[in-house]
Amino acid sequence: MDLENQKRVKDFAEKYGAENLVVILGAAEGEAAGLAAETVTAGDPTFAGPLTGVQLGLSVYHCCEPQFKEAVDEDIYEDQIGMMEMVLDLDEIIEEMTDIRDEFCKYC
Amino acid sequence: MKYPVINSASYILVNTPDMVVHNGTTQTMEKLSNPDSEYIKKVPSHIRKYDEVLNYIPNQVYIGNLTPSDLKNKKLPWCNIDSKSKERFGKFGEIMPQDEFIGLLKISDSFNLVLLENSFSSNIMKKLSKHPLLGKNIAETKDGVDIELINKEINENGAEALYDNNKVIGCVKKAHDVDVNLTSHIMFENLVVKASGFLAFKHLINNTDKEVEDIDYVIECSEEACGDMNQRGGGNFAKSIAELSGANNATGSDTRGFCAAPTHALIQAAALVKSGVYKNVVIVAGGATAKLGMNGKDHVKKGLPILEDVLGGFAVLISENDGINPIIRTDLIGRHTVGTGSSPQAVITSLITLPLDKANMKITDIDKYSVEMQNPDITKPAGAGDVPTSNYKMIGALGVKRGDIERKELLNFVTNHGMPGWAPTQGHIPSGVPYLGFAIDDLTIGNLNRAMIVGKGSLFLGRMTNLFDGVSVVVERNKGSIEEEKSISKNEIKSMIAEAMKDFGNHLIND
């Protein structure tokens, strides 16, 4: 995850409280989504950014996962994400995200 | 309508093994933050030799010895496959070794900032004097210096060391005592852009039927900035490259837009030629040392060589319609505007379908889409996926939403209208333009009629805006401008005769 984004997530968690924060990812690959999810839950696995060793355990979802899809307006979802849903390997993404949440998420 | 044409194109790579280690930001940042890291220790054993860089299919495609179709159905990793072409020189350009390129840095240096050690300098200038396109430039090169002076400049005056075979053989001095924009590091990066852009320019002139004196204007579109503390990006790489190339009748300027800049430059060049302001405009870009080994950590982790071991460069000549070469449809431009929005759907609509709608075309009316043609051998092990394929899937998915293709045809669309990526991940280098060289053949002697060049850029990296950017343009087989004009005038004559006959008939009836 981009170092600047790590810093933003960390700052938000301090400002609003980790239990009040949900991170929505838009990564195009399961592996990339998993890495980002790991970063905001268990800490930066690349040991490069501000979240190195910081276990925030945030709630984290990919924008194509059903939990997010069911929570937002259907028309807007179709307009903004419908095309990408057709393109992405959803099974791979959902599997990665579920694994990370099960292991590291403190608030899901 | 008389459209401008793509007259010719050139593509060059420079293999820079020592610059991967000493100048790529992934490696320099790691050395700063974690000097004893396992990664830094492992890097040298993952650096490819020059022969291996030549024996790499994507590199041979880039310089035109092979075509993108030679990568079709080849399983990753491509770095383990023997290439049927292993040549240094190709139809579009060459893959230059590092030692000669360091000589080229010296040739590109107008302010005596590059110092080369005596024996290295004389060897390399001898080698370069045999280069088919560079012989003339060697005569103007100054002699080398003692290694003691180089070491002194590095150790006492902050010069950037130049390495070959893990040995210091020269340096780039800072250009000012205190100016942060003229440090040795920045001067080195900028001289690399100039030298690699110059090499691409030389090959372009070699590939075209035009003379270098015919060039009126040059647009440089890489990602670096040259200037001093009072004007960080004042410029002008374009004119410096034109000067070195002997384009005495040209002036120029630099266009920036992250990875989208080459396609912006292509559209600007086409507009300048179409409007008649200039007859021959070159777009050119050099390479970026900062991006060498950018995904090195992932490559090393997965037991692969560090595949980002080349600098990229290209040049394209846009000229007046010659009736032969592919035309640039300046009326079919896509653009991501401020109001477009950032969802992939909005981006693809603005870049792909808006220009097609202007011409009542379907997504399938474009034979080939040239998007971000990044080599997946580099990006996939780094978790960034296969970028061209993802783009083709998105374009296809939009086609399904528009009803241009059936959903079950999506994968066929990717195969038939896309290409495997072959360009190095040098930011602006893979973005849209790598296909222009092949497009000249495909749209003249080949069997394609239409291609779309798409450039996209991540502006947020500059921290001035969160916006994304992109532009696109359609290129088409030339139907022959002269014939086009004749047929227009024939039609005009026909309609004038018809009008006259109608008038005559009316007269007879009235009489």
Side-chain angles (χ1 to χ4, degrees), chain A residues 1-104:
Chain A
M1 186 188 246
D2 177 48
L3 306 189
E4 188 62 27
N5 278 341
Q6 287 192 36
K7 188 171 175 293
R8 286 164 110 180
V9 170
K10 194 172 175 226
D11 290 346
F12 285 142
E14 278 163 16
K15 191 172 172 186
Y16 300 108
E19 70 280 11
N20 298 318
L21 211 59
V22 178
V23 181
I24 307 296
L25 304 176
E29 299 278 322
E31 192 181 342
L35 278 173
E38 191 178 342
T39 307
V40 299
T41 50
D44 181 3
T46 67
F47 300 101
L51 289 178
T52 301
V54 182
Q55 297 184 339
L56 290 177
L58 300 179
S59 299
V60 57
Y61 297 92
H62 191 279
C63 64
C64 289
E65 283 191 279
Q67 293 94 325
F68 176 77
K69 190 176 177 180
E70 284 156 16
V72 296
D73 183 285
E74 201 178 321
D75 290 340
I76 295 175
Y77 183 90
E78 193 50 37
D79 191 41
Q80 298 280 319
I81 301 178
M83 185 191 83
M84 284 310 289
E85 202 184 41
M86 224 185 286
V87 171
L88 300 181
D89 186 341
L90 293 188
D91 293 342
E92 188 193 73
I93 289 172
I94 291 170
E95 194 186 326
E96 280 279 343
M97 295 298 294
T98 310
D99 287 352
I100 297 285
R101 272 198 303 270
D102 288 349
E103 197 172 348
F104 301 117

Side-chain angles (χ1 to χ4, degrees), chain B residues 195-414:
Chain B
S196 47
F198 163 59
L199 185 61
F201 202 112
K202 284 296 249 189
H203 277 282
L204 178 73
I205 297 304
N206 187 50
N207 296 348
T208 175
D209 52 348
K210 306 274 181 194
E211 301 297 325
V212 68
E213 293 81 10
D214 295 334
I215 308 302
D216 302 303
Y217 200 77
V218 179
I219 303 173
E220 206 277 344
C221 52
S222 68
E223 295 185 307
E224 309 298 358
C226 59
D228 68 11
M229 59 185 156
N230 295 315
Q231 48 275 309
R232 185 174 304 119
N236 173 327
F237 284 111
K239 198 156 187 173
S240 74
I241 293 169
E243 177 195 22
L244 197 55
S245 311
N248 287 337
N249 297 320
T251 183
S253 60
D254 300 340
T255 282
R256 293 293 176 265
F258 279 97
C259 310
T263 311
H264 277 291
L266 177 67
I267 293 167
Q268 288 164 11
L272 286 168
V273 173
K274 183 165 191 313
S275 65
V277 175
Y278 303 119
K279 286 185 166 61
N280 297 296
V281 179
V282 169
I283 62 171
V284 61
T289 50
K291 294 194 182 76
L292 292 167
M294 196 163 51
N295 293 292
K297 285 184 179 176
D298 290 303
H299 294 156
V300 167
K301 206 188 292 170
K302 293 188 175 152
L304 295 165
I306 293 181
L307 296 166
E308 291 156 309
D309 53 5
V310 289
L311 298 166
F314 74 89
V316 181
L317 174 59
I318 311 304
S319 297
E320 286 183 313
N321 200 339
D322 54 9
I324 299 162
N325 282 306
I327 55 170
I328 303 171
R329 289 289 304 264
T330 45
D331 54 337
L332 300 182
I333 305 281
R335 65 203 165 109
H336 180 277
T337 65
V338 169
T340 298
S342 60
S343 75
Q345 205 152 324
V347 171
I348 296 289
T349 302
S350 68
L351 295 179
I352 309 293
T353 57
L354 286 185
L356 294 183
D357 288 344
K358 283 184 212 160
N360 278 327
M361 285 185 207
K362 286 185 191 170
I363 270 180
T364 45
D365 287 330
I366 299 288
D367 298 312
K368 286 285 171 208
Y369 289 88
S370 182
V371 291
E372 294 158 294
M373 301 312 299
Q374 273 113 334
N375 172 359
D377 210 22
I378 297 172
T379 56
K380 271 197 124 174
D386 181 335
V387 178
T389 302
S390 305
N391 272 281
Y392 295 132
K393 281 184 187 166
M394 283 192 273
I395 297 170
L398 194 60
V400 173
K401 279 183 90 73
R402 281 163 55 98
D404 287 353
I405 55 172
E406 299 272 327
R407 187 164 180 160
K408 63 179 188 324
E409 287 298 309
L410 190 57
L411 285 181
N412 286 339
F413 174 85
V414 173

